[in-house]
Every structure is written in C-alpha cells, then in structure tokens.
Amino acid sequence: MPLCMGCLNEIPRSDAVCSVCGFDNAGKQSAPFLPYGTVLGGKYVVAKNLDTNGESTRYLGYNNDNGKVITVREFLPMGLFDRNEGEKKLFVSPTDKPKFSQAMADFMSFYETVEAITDKSAMVDILDMFSENNTVYVIEESDDLIPFAQYVEKNGGHLEWDAARPLFMPIITLLETLHKNNVGHYAVSPSNLFVTSTGKLKLAGFSSENERKRGTILKSQLYSGCSAPEQYRQNESLNSATDIYGFTATLFFALTGNLPASAKDREKDARLLISTNTVKRLPPHVVTALANGLQMKRDNRISNFDELRAQLSVASTVQAIQDEISRTASMTPVQREEERKSKVNPTAVGIVATVVALLILGAVGLWWLSLNPLVGLFEESVTTPPTQAPTIAEDWTGPVVPDYVGKTYQEVSKAIEADPSLSLKISADGEFSDTVPEGNVISQTPQPGTPMTSGNAVIYVVLSKGPQLTELPDVTGKSLTSAAEKLSDLGFVVLQEVEYDSTVGEDKVIGYKDHTAGDKIESGSEITLIVSLGPYPDDEY
C-alpha cells in the first residue's frame, strides 16, 4: 500500500486524504522542494518538508530497505540556486557557482566532522551522506523521537533539577567533543532537542557556522532566546561560550517552562525573569550557573565546559569560597586585622563574605520577578495555556503573533476584537510587577513573533497588579545566615557589607543599610545588611 506523505502511515491509494493525520496526498510539494515520493540513494523516500533554513531543508523520509522513518536533510542554500516545481536537480548560475560551491564544501566538511564523532549517544545519529541532484543529502535517524518541548509539556510544563540533570549533562560532553574537533553547534534550543523512548536527550539541528551567525554568504537562522548576543553581530567569531549560552538558555526553559528574552531585547534589559516558587525549588548553585551561563558579555560568561559542569554540580569554586569563609571566621580579631593590613584593600576582610553573599544569595534574588506559571480565566472557566515550541526561526515570512507586552488591557482587547483570527484569554489573578504598570500586560503566550501557521490563535495574557510591597522584618542581632534566608524567602535580593562594631557580636547583623525594620518596599529589591566583624582590634587594648 502507498504511504501518506504527511505521516508515513499506509493509506488505501496515493491520492487519498490520510485518516490518521488528515494530510491530502493529492497535493504537490511546491518548489523549490523535492516532489513527494522522490527516491534518493536508491532507497530513501522523500515525504513532506519539515523545516527550512538558509543552508538546508529537512524532509520527513522513509527507508525502503528497513522500513524505518528517517529525516532527509538536503543542502539547499537559499538564493544561490534554482529548481522548478516537479524537478529534482538544482540549477546554479555561473555567477552563483563560486558561493554555492564554497557553501556546499563547508556543509560537507562540517557533517564529515560530526559523522566522525565516535560517541553519538547524545546526538541524533547521522546514518548516511551522499551527493545527488547537484547537491548533498544527509540521512538522520527519526524513529521514536519526542520533541523536547512536547516532553516538557507532558511533565507539567517544567522539569525538576533531579530530572533535568541526567538529561542535560551528556549534552555538555557532546558540545565539548564538537569544539575539540573545531566545530560548534551554535543552535542548542528546545526545537533542536529530542527525547528517545528510553528517556535520553538527543541534539539535532546541525548546520555549519555559515548558518549560525550574521554576515556570511547564507541567510542566517538564529533562535530567539537561545542565540547568543555575538551571533547577531556581523561576522562575529563564535566559540564554546556561544554554545554555553544556548545550552544554558535551553536548560532555563526546561527548569522554568519559559525561555529568556532574546539577546537583542536583553541588550536593553539584561535581567532574567523567574518566579519565586521556581527559585525556591532549584538548588542555589544551579541558579548561579544559569545566571553565569547567560551573561550578555562573553568575557563574563562561563567560557568552558569543565567550568559549566562544575557550576552545575556543587561547584568547586563555591566550595573554595565557603572554605575561605570558614577559615576567616575561625580567626581571632587580631589575626584578621593582621591579614587586613597585609593587603592593599583595607576592607579585604569582608570581601570573601561579600562574594559569597553575591554568588549564593544575590544570584537567587536577582532572578526574582513575576513570571509564575500562566493560568487563564475566560468566561468564569479556568484554562491553562498550551506549552508551545518556544523557539522562533527568524526566517519565517508569514503572519506572526503581535506583541502586546506592556500595553493596557483595553488596548489589547480592542486590537484582538478587530482581528477575527485572534481570541483573548486573561490570567485568573495577574502578577505583581515593579516594571509594568498596573493593568498592563506582563507576558503573553504565544510569544510575540511566533509564526501563525493556522487560521486562528488564542492569546493568553498576564496582567500586572503593580509592585508588591513587603515589610522588612527586624533582623538586628540575628546571624547572617538566618537573616538572609528570611529575607530571601520574602523575595528580596540580599547583599552584605561588613564593619567593626563593639556592641554587636561577630557575624551578627547590625541592621539594614538605607532602610529600617518596618519599611515597606517592593519585593525583588536589593537589601544590604550590615554585618559585624566584632570589635575593632584596637578596642581590645
């Protein structure tokens, strides 16, 4: 029996509408894509086009020899060739031939390097590569692969760290191997990750560097929220820190259910948004690693994969700082003063403690903003918006979801009423925000710019309730640890400064800097505690 070109299930005749997926097999695949049913390499059947970037296109495929579903990647550099509808061979003009040949050589060299990697346990396996029709084809596995975004949705919209860790750590090793072979992936994102039936994570979406940055001979495909800032700049070099940004952004999505804002947007506001509940359920060292992996400036970002592993474990650097704190805490005031005098900075006694507060406590608080899981309320019925594949390919030319973030409810409602292809649902309770005025949209699902591939779309919006004010508790005389934990639980970013004090015991809180107990301020604000070093050494004589 013939196969459906939409899902590869058997159908009664080649022109039938599939009863499984609804695909109309009487239609034709439009140029420049291969006709339905094209056989490549004597055995690979080409079905519907799945996705396209500036370098290649990917088809659903079938291996006639073993009956397995595959994907077929065809080198198809947009703008450098012609192919009429119904034809297989590419035509390249003499003018475009040099660029076409160079791009194809880069494509083949990249895939030859990837194919030669011996440990393919964390990547979608490359089964075959050959030349035909004046171009190159790469055959990749596809059986039993679940899209990662779908996997996250089925697991409640996010993963716990204990579940995410064994999935993601092998991806670090794969990326490290790629870079040791002088190539990178540069497109790590939820759209390019798949979960096997045995529960392993696999990376797909390989393309040469020409496709992953601006300014090359190909039209680049970047992924909103996952592509690093340097990928948006003309001919900027890419390195391991670039892949670490994409990896960390994807891990951020797995743990929170949301992607970070795009690098272009974060150039204006670099903050990362995460709910308080999420912060509380993640280990502090993981929160710190996410923040360090998503630094906008490459020099400030985690730069190598060993460091990334360490920070996602109980990082050795943090442990070293904790050991230093223990060492200085056991010193007498006189010993501490002698060490202070031996260094250029007269306040160096407190530096280690401040670093710890910034890394372990401050990093947690820096993520405090209101992005709790979205819950929609419409006509008195509660609805949870569907998890979407959040990565947006930037070469889409069709209609996209408008941007309503920051607009008033009245403005959004009026705009959506005027567009019959859209409908609106509002969150049940809204969320507090210190940046978005009360009554304005904090966030929306689907994200702005998401391709609208169907005739209608439901827009879920979360409205701001304005800033949340929280009363500062009295922490005078408490230990730094207990005071910081209490303030972090209230949603504050806790920093510290140290000074000598003859009336407050060592490592006890003297008070707040610039605030007093009972003040009501916005949750998420930075709060600095003044912590005692005990009496100044001279006070003892």
Side-chain angles (χ1 to χ4, degrees), residues 106-122:
D106 291 343
F107 178 86
M108 294 178 66
S109 175
F110 175 85
Y111 267 97
E112 285 168 354
T113 300
V114 174
E115 191 176 21
I117 293 174
T118 55
D119 183 2
K120 295 182 172 64
S121 59

Side-chain angles (χ1 to χ4, degrees), residues 58 73 111 122-124 140-141 145 174 185 187-189 191-194 202-207 212:
R58 201 166 59 100
R73 185 174 295 276
Y111 267 97
M123 62 178 279
V124 170
E140 300 172 316
E141 69 171 324
L145 295 179
L174 172 61
H185 189 278
V188 183
S189 67
S191 288
N192 287 328
L193 285 175
F194 298 86
K202 290 206 171 190
L203 182 62
F206 293 90
S207 288
R212 299 308 184 200

Side-chain angles (χ1 to χ4, degrees), residues 213-529:
K213 64 180 183 180
R214 302 292 196 214
T216 72
I217 57 178
L218 300 180
K219 181 180 179 181
S220 60
Q221 181 193 40
L222 304 183
Y223 290 86
S224 181
C226 292
S227 293
E230 57 268 22
Q231 293 179 264
Y232 288 88
R233 304 183 191 119
Q234 293 290 316
N235 279 316
E236 185 88 3
S237 64
L238 309 182
N239 60 15
S240 57
T242 307
D243 264 333
I244 286 172
Y245 188 101
F247 173 90
T248 313
T250 306
L251 179 58
F252 183 97
F253 165 75
L255 297 174
T256 69
N258 298 282
L259 279 172
S262 73
K264 291 191 292 185
D265 291 337
R266 292 189 66 213
E267 287 180 348
K268 303 173 185 176
D269 184 350
R271 290 177 299 174
L272 296 167
L273 307 181
I274 190 169
S275 70
T276 331
N277 290 336
T278 300
V279 169
K280 290 179 180 178
R281 65 178 174 79
L282 292 178
H285 66 274
V286 173
V287 177
T288 301
L290 292 175
N292 290 337
L294 288 168
Q295 289 292 314
M296 291 292 288
K297 292 182 178 180
R298 193 163 13 176
D299 289 346
N300 296 337
R301 198 182 307 154
I302 297 172
S303 60
N304 65 73
F305 298 104
D306 283 338
E307 183 183 357
L308 179 61
R309 284 192 196 90
Q311 292 203 25
L312 285 173
S313 305
V314 177
S316 56
T317 52
V318 173
Q319 186 61 52
I321 293 171
Q322 291 173 333
D323 292 343
E324 177 67 6
I325 283 293
S326 298
R327 184 185 70 82
T328 57
S330 64
M331 294 169 63
T332 66
V334 173
Q335 290 172 323
R336 188 181 289 113
E337 176 62 11
E338 289 175 351
E339 181 164 307
R340 181 181 73 85
K341 289 179 178 179
S342 69
K343 298 181 181 180
V344 175
N345 185 348
T347 60
V349 167
I351 286 179
V352 175
T354 303
V355 170
V356 171
L358 288 171
L359 284 177
I360 299 179
L361 301 174
V364 175
L366 284 172
W367 294 58
W368 160 256
L369 276 174
S370 47
L371 267 184
N372 289 312
L374 304 175
V375 179
L377 178 65
F378 186 66
E379 296 180 353
E380 299 184 354
S381 63
V382 176
T383 308
T384 301
T387 301
Q388 59 185 21
T391 304
I392 302 166
E394 297 184 353
D395 55 3
W396 173 261
T397 58
V400 298
V401 173
D403 186 357
Y404 299 113
V405 174
K407 296 183 178 181
T408 66
Y409 167 73
Q410 290 77 12
E411 291 172 332
V412 175
S413 179
K414 185 177 180 180
I416 288 181
E417 285 177 2
D419 190 338
S421 67
L422 301 174
S423 58
L424 178 65
K425 294 192 177 183
I426 310 299
S427 69
D429 301 317
E431 294 180 1
F432 291 106
S433 174
D434 59 351
T435 59
V436 180
E438 185 175 358
N440 288 22
V441 175
I442 292 177
S443 61
Q444 68 179 73
T445 302
Q447 298 177 17
T450 300
M452 293 175 59
T453 56
S454 59
N456 55 71
V458 179
I459 310 298
Y460 297 80
V461 296
V462 177
L463 299 181
S464 171
K465 297 197 293 185
Q468 182 178 23
L469 301 180
T470 302
E471 184 175 311
L472 289 177
D474 185 2
V475 293
T476 301
K478 295 184 178 296
S479 69
L480 170 62
T481 301
S482 62
E485 286 179 353
K486 185 174 184 65
L487 291 168
S488 295
D489 287 343
L490 293 174
F492 294 112
V493 179
V494 184
L495 307 178
Q496 105 181 56
E497 291 184 6
V498 293
E499 62 182 49
Y500 292 103
D501 191 290
S502 59
T503 61
V504 178
E506 187 178 357
D507 294 328
K508 302 295 183 182
V509 175
I510 299 171
Y512 294 105
K513 180 181 180 180
D514 302 326
H515 292 287
T516 59
D519 286 353
K520 290 187 176 181
I521 61 176
E522 296 178 11
S523 293
S525 300
E526 291 185 355
I527 297 296
T528 301
L529 296 176

Side-chain angles (χ1 to χ4, degrees), residues 152-168:
V152 172
E153 179 185 359
K154 288 183 177 179
N155 283 274
H158 68 263
L159 304 180
E160 298 301 329
W161 171 238
D162 286 345
R165 187 180 188 282
L167 285 174
F168 276 85

